[in-house]
């Protein structure tokens, strides 16, 4: 279960703002079957009020988010992943945050859009997942993401 302190750090790092108008990309709508479901589940809703059930159901569709929507909604997904680290949805969140193999330009660019404070809570989630016995099989896959987010977390 996620600690109150972690949730408070996430809220402090990602202050309230208006949700993005465009939630999923046009390309995602063309190639991702559930992109419209993701859009309807999130669009117009502040990240702080999304139910865990919705986040768990849509975690597999994180790849369909636009970059502004990813930055806006990822705190909801990381909080849900921290609440249930052995869930399938936590695995999707981990993959959304961790490039496979070497860093790609996309991950470098996206990570750079986060503040150091925001990157610190992302790194904290990944560190927590890395220590969880249920994530032992993903430990090597998580390393590039941990390096990337820890580096960005440094002011």
């Amino acid at each position: 279960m996620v600690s109150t302190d972690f949730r408070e750090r996430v809220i402090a790092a990602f202050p309230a703002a208006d949700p993005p108008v465009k939630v999923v990309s046009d390309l995602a709508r063309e190639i991702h079957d559930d992109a419209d479901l993701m859009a309807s589940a999130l669009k117009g809703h502040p990240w702080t009020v999304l139910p865990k059930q919705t986040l768990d159901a849509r975690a597999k569709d994180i790849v369909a988010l636009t970059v502004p929507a990813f930055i806006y909604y990822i705190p909801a997904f990381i909080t849900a992943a921290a609440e249930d680290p052995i869930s399938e949805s936590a695995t999707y969140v981990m993959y959304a945050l961790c490039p496979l193999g070497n860093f790609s330009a996309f991950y470098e660019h996206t990570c750079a859009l986060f503040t150091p404070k925001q990157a610190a809570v992302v790194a904290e989630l990944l560190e927590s997942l890395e220590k969880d016995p249920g994530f032992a099989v993903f430990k090597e896959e998580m390393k590039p993401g941990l390096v990337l987010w820890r580096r960005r977390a440094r002011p």
Side-chain angles (χ1 to χ4, degrees), residues 104-128:
S104 71
F106 173 78
Y107 280 93
E108 290 277 355
H109 172 72
T110 302
C111 186
L113 298 173
F114 286 75
T115 68
K117 190 175 185 177
Q118 292 168 337
V121 294
V122 171
E124 184 178 346
L125 169 74
L126 293 175
E127 289 163 353
S128 172

Side-chain angles (χ1 to χ4, degrees), residues 21-45 50 54 57-66 73 77:
V21 174
K22 191 170 190 175
V23 176
V24 298
S25 71
D26 294 334
L27 176 62
R29 286 184 189 278
E30 290 178 24
I31 63 172
H32 193 62
D33 293 339
D34 292 338
D36 288 330
L37 292 173
M38 176 65 116
S40 64
L42 302 183
K43 189 172 183 170
H45 299 288
L50 292 169
T54 298
R58 301 282 43 105
K60 66 184 178 63
D61 305 318
I62 291 174
V63 297
L65 294 174
T66 62
Y73 289 111
F77 285 103

